[in-house]
């Protein structure tokens, strides 16, 4: 593939990547505009590919999303097969993306701090599968209040009000697979892990 073709392909992928980042963070175009000083119409055209990304536009976006500039552009690392995992802070948690390419099911390793014990349920489009790697995780899902230990998993439609955090005031490590509706992994949490709803 010629160098010009590689550059063009990388630039074409910037728009969908920007849209995905904004969607994952639950930020509106208006909120992003307020943070970056870039107009909502320009941001929209960037995400749809109608506006070519420039350094002047990408630098404030990288700062707003707190990611390296090369992550926005998706610059390939030639000749090095190692996967560089770039942890980021999202809602007070350390999140490590395990699937660098956009589209399909996305995998994340999430480090839940000991301080995250207060449920703040939310809803959004999608389907999520959680597997506890270490520690104990509390999962609020609709009317259910579950405690999952290392080796246990749960899957659910994220349109249901949900929240997960520390179950015992200690840190936990969780593997998260997230995809569109219909993209699920069929492993469910054990019913005996349920905690009395009065504890919510």
């Amino acid at each position: 593939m010629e160098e010009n073709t590689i550059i063009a392909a990388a630039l074409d992928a910037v728009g969908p990547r920007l849209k995905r980042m904004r969607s994952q963070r639950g930020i509106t175009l208006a909120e992003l505009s307020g943070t970056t000083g870039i107009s909502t119409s320009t941001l929209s055209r960037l995400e749809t590919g109608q506006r070519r990304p420039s350094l002047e536009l990408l630098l404030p976006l990288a700062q707003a999303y707190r990611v390296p500039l090369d992550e926005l552009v998706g610059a390939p690392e030639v000749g090095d097969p190692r996967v560089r995992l770039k942890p980021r802070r999202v809602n007070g948690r350390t999140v490590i993306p395990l699937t660098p390419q956009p589209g399909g099911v996305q995998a994340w390793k999430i480090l839940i701090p000991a301080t995250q014990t207060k449920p703040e349920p939310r809803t959004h489009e999608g389907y999520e599968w959680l597997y506890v790697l270490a520690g104990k995780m509390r999962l609020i899902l609709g009317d259910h209040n579950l405690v999952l230990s290392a080796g246990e998993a749960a899957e659910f439609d994220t349109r249901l009000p949900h929240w997960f955090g520390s179950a015992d005031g200690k840190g936990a490590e969780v593997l998260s697979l997230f995809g569109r509706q219909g993209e699920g992994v069929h492993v469910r949490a054990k019913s005996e892990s349920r905690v009395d709803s009065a504890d919510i």
Side-chain angles (χ1 to χ4, degrees):
M1 187 181 289
E2 295 183 0
E3 185 175 350
N4 288 344
T5 308
I6 294 173
I7 293 172
L11 290 176
D12 287 342
V14 170
R17 188 175 291 110
L18 290 173
K19 187 172 184 178
R20 188 180 73 254
M21 283 186 174
R22 184 171 61 81
S23 176
Q24 287 172 344
R25 289 162 174 76
I27 302 172
T28 66
L29 284 172
E31 290 170 338
L32 187 58
S33 175
T35 303
T36 61
I38 303 170
S39 70
T40 54
S41 60
T42 298
L43 290 170
S44 178
R45 286 164 55 211
L46 268 175
E47 289 186 355
T48 58
Q50 296 174 347
R51 171 82 181 256
R52 276 293 201 202
S54 66
L55 195 58
E56 184 181 4
L57 295 172
L58 291 178
L59 281 174
L61 286 169
Q63 187 175 18
Y65 289 136
R66 297 182 181 179
V67 297
L69 186 60
D70 63 349
E71 189 167 328
L72 291 184
V73 180
E77 295 172 357
V78 180
D80 190 343
R82 291 175 295 180
V83 177
R84 285 175 166 76
L85 304 177
K86 297 175 182 175
R88 63 186 69 157
R89 296 286 289 177
V90 180
N91 297 325
R93 302 173 180 184
T94 300
V95 177
I96 305 167
L98 304 178
T99 46
Q101 300 303 320
V105 175
Q106 297 291 302
W108 311 82
K109 182 179 180 181
I110 302 173
L111 305 181
I112 301 172
T115 54
Q116 287 205 340
T117 57
K118 181 182 178 182
E120 297 178 358
R122 64 191 185 102
T123 63
H124 53 86
E125 286 293 321
Y127 201 88
E128 191 159 13
W129 181 85
L130 297 172
Y131 177 83
V132 182
L133 297 167
K136 290 186 177 182
M137 179 191 77
R138 182 182 178 194
L139 172 64
I140 305 294
L141 181 61
D143 294 330
H144 298 283
N145 186 352
L146 307 170
V147 173
L148 284 77
S149 300
E152 292 189 293
E155 63 168 335
F156 53 91
D157 186 324
T158 56
R159 291 176 296 186
L160 287 171
H162 63 281
W163 171 90
F164 58 92
S166 170
D168 54 4
K170 298 178 182 177
E173 295 184 15
V174 178
L175 176 64
S176 166
L177 299 181
F178 178 80
R180 298 185 302 273
Q181 245 69 33
E183 293 180 333
V185 181
H186 301 289
V187 179
R188 301 190 181 277
K190 296 177 181 178
S191 59
E192 54 265 32
S193 297
R194 182 170 180 174
V195 178
D196 193 304
S197 59
D199 294 334
I200 297 179

